[in-house]
Amino acid sequence: MKRCVVTFICIATMTSFAAANSPDSQRARYCAPLAVASQAAGSEAGFVRSYEHGDDESRLPAGLASTAFVYDNALAAIALIACRNVTSATTIGNALSLAVRKDRTFADGRVRNAYRAGPVGEGPPALPGWWDDKQKIWAEDAAQDGSSTGNVAWAALALLTLHEATKDASYLADAEHLIDWVIANASSGNGFRGGFHGYDPQQVRLTWMSTEHNVDVYAAAAWLFRVTDKPKYAEAASEARQFLERVFDVDHFLLGTKPDGGLADPSMLALDVQLWPWMAIPDAPAQWRSALNFAATHLAVKAGFDFNGDRDGVWVEGTAQASLAYRIAGDPLRSAQLLTGLEADRTPSGFLNATRAARVSTGLSIDPTKTEADFFYFRRPHLGATAWATLAATMWNPFIGRKVD
């Protein structure tokens, strides 16, 4: 009788553990925090703040306290569609659409790299900023005020995902405006340049080209061509793909090009650059997938992946990207291992920390016109990391807008 009781308890415990770690339970743990954050951002249109303060902070630094990065918000909107929560996704999508249509300075269809978190009204969405008491001025961040080509393309991908889910033609029209802006302002004829940086009204054109940005443009332009059949989008996708072919080097992808057009330093590695090209292009050459093995060899750390080759810690967002990449590559076991490991990074709000260590380096500069490696991720709850983990948990490919087969 005692053996039966013990066995029953063991079976019940195992059943409970399995239920808590089932795909449905895992998806719910990721989807719910995004829904809560979106609802808090506004009832009709709003941006979600990208970071919450970390355990060792009483508040965020001034430069992040009101910041909702477009990339993070685009990811969150897509992830909410993957969660089948169209209502919450629409809150962010409406904010993106308003940003496309109205800007405080420009009238050309661009979006900025970041906006002020919270509800968006009828006027131009406000940009992030803070009062600098020492200088007695309202301060803004030049990088946040700029328009990165990749961020513009991600906003388009979010709007295209919303169009697919809602059939609302306005989302499609706004996505077209965004990629039309990219074609008109970032095309070199041989790939897409970085975009614009700096304060209004005079901004600096970025002449370097990013592998990551060209993946983003390819995905959005190819999607637009599928929907509209307009040749200009097929041409844009072709230009971006040719650039990706140029930067593939035997078994991995280079970061992109320098401002003068020469290929980037081959010692500068980035995880997303190894994953996104073949995730975004279903008919990519088979050898492109060797970049996943390259990443496992050169960028992996214990229990995850680093941003770059110095292996100074787990980059949570990138590890979630790798989980989805392994799923696409047909390795669900490795995918599940990485995703399960990210439970260690969950915070009380449900968001995942951006890093597991106190800080992770990228080797990149905050100011895209400079080369100083001062861009770091810190151990703070992060919307982008949580959104990518949600995409992995829902097995949703954001580049093509559907669940992984």
Side-chain angles (χ1 to χ4, degrees), residues 51-57 60 314 316 343-348 352-360 376-382:
Y51 288 96
E52 300 169 356
H53 66 79
D55 287 340
D56 58 346
E57 300 174 307
L60 285 167
V314 173
V316 174
E343 288 299 323
D345 304 295
R346 189 177 298 282
T347 67
L352 302 185
N353 281 318
T355 66
R356 195 162 298 166
R359 189 181 80 170
V360 168
F376 299 94
Y377 284 97
F378 294 89
R379 194 173 186 272
R380 297 186 180 111
H382 182 210

Side-chain angles (χ1 to χ4, degrees), residues 272-354:
D272 49 10
V273 168
Q274 309 311 324
L275 309 179
W276 291 11
W278 52 271
M279 292 170 68
I281 305 178
D283 65 343
Q287 61 265 36
W288 283 16
R289 294 200 177 193
S290 64
L292 179 58
N293 291 330
F294 179 91
T297 301
H298 297 276
L299 301 167
V301 294
K302 184 179 180 180
F305 283 83
D306 188 15
F307 183 98
N308 61 4
D310 65 8
R311 301 189 184 192
D312 61 347
V314 173
W315 179 40
V316 174
E317 176 186 332
T319 301
Q321 293 172 18
S323 173
L324 182 58
Y326 275 108
R327 176 71 63 171
I328 293 171
D331 189 346
L333 178 59
R334 182 57 178 150
S335 173
Q337 288 173 337
L338 290 172
L339 187 61
T340 299
L342 294 182
E343 288 299 323
D345 304 295
R346 189 177 298 282
T347 67
S349 72
F351 274 20
L352 302 185
N353 281 318

Side-chain angles (χ1 to χ4, degrees), residues 55-359:
D55 287 340
D56 58 346
E57 300 174 307
S58 60
R59 62 179 181 269
L60 285 167
L64 291 178
S66 67
T67 303
F69 287 105
V70 159
Y71 167 71
D72 295 334
N73 276 262
L75 282 170
I78 296 169
L80 284 163
I81 294 294
C83 293
R84 301 178 183 175
N85 188 341
V86 177
T87 300
S88 294
T90 298
T91 296
I92 300 173
N94 289 345
L96 289 170
S97 280
L98 288 169
V100 175
R101 298 173 204 159
K102 294 182 180 180
D103 186 90
R104 70 181 187 186
T105 302
F106 304 106
D108 54 9
R110 75 179 73 186
V111 292
R112 307 303 186 106
N113 291 332
Y115 291 95
R116 193 177 304 170
V120 176
E122 291 300 317
L127 302 188
W130 65 97
W131 177 252
D132 187 326
D133 197 51
K134 184 178 292 186
Q135 300 185 66
K136 305 300 181 186
I137 61 170
W138 181 257
E140 293 182 357
D141 183 288
Q144 293 179 16
D145 286 3
S147 295
S148 159
T149 297
N151 291 337
V152 174
W154 270 105
L157 284 171
L159 293 171
L160 286 167
T161 305
L162 275 159
H163 171 253
E164 184 75 18
T166 66
K167 308 306 177 188
D168 185 333
S170 65
Y171 291 134
L172 175 60
D174 293 333
E176 288 198 67
H177 288 316
L178 289 170
I179 299 306
D180 288 348
W181 181 87
V182 169
I183 293 170
N185 293 279
S187 172
S188 71
N190 296 298
F192 291 89
R193 299 187 180 97
F196 291 84
H197 169 77
Y199 300 111
D200 302 4
Q202 300 297 325
Q203 295 190 336
V204 177
R205 184 185 294 272
L206 303 173
T207 59
W208 46 259
M209 290 183 278
S210 159
T211 300
E212 176 199 324
H213 290 187
N214 277 267
V215 173
D216 309 337
V217 174
Y218 173 88
W223 192 329
L224 278 170
F225 179 64
R226 291 195 300 271
V227 175
T228 69
D229 206 32
K230 294 180 180 179
K232 62 181 175 180
Y233 299 128
E235 293 165 5
S238 177
E239 179 179 346
R241 180 165 180 161
Q242 288 175 29
F243 179 82
L244 297 175
E245 291 168 351
R246 178 188 173 198
V247 295
F248 183 69
D249 184 18
V250 183
D251 62 352
H252 70 287
F253 289 90
L254 302 178
L255 205 61
T257 73
K258 302 174 184 177
D260 64 4
L263 291 174
D265 182 347
S267 68
M268 294 185 66
L269 302 175
L271 177 63
D272 49 10
V273 168
Q274 309 311 324
L275 309 179
W276 291 11
W278 52 271
M279 292 170 68
I281 305 178
D283 65 343
Q287 61 265 36
W288 283 16
R289 294 200 177 193
S290 64
L292 179 58
N293 291 330
F294 179 91
T297 301
H298 297 276
L299 301 167
V301 294
K302 184 179 180 180
F305 283 83
D306 188 15
F307 183 98
N308 61 4
D310 65 8
R311 301 189 184 192
D312 61 347
V314 173
W315 179 40
V316 174
E317 176 186 332
T319 301
Q321 293 172 18
S323 173
L324 182 58
Y326 275 108
R327 176 71 63 171
I328 293 171
D331 189 346
L333 178 59
R334 182 57 178 150
S335 173
Q337 288 173 337
L338 290 172
L339 187 61
T340 299
L342 294 182
E343 288 299 323
D345 304 295
R346 189 177 298 282
T347 67
S349 72
F351 274 20
L352 302 185
N353 281 318
T355 66
R356 195 162 298 166
R359 189 181 80 170

Side-chain angles (χ1 to χ4, degrees), residues 20-42:
N21 289 276
S22 69
D24 287 344
S25 175
Q26 197 171 56
R27 282 191 290 271
R29 287 200 299 276
Y30 286 108
C31 291
L34 293 180
V36 170
S38 174
Q39 290 160 10

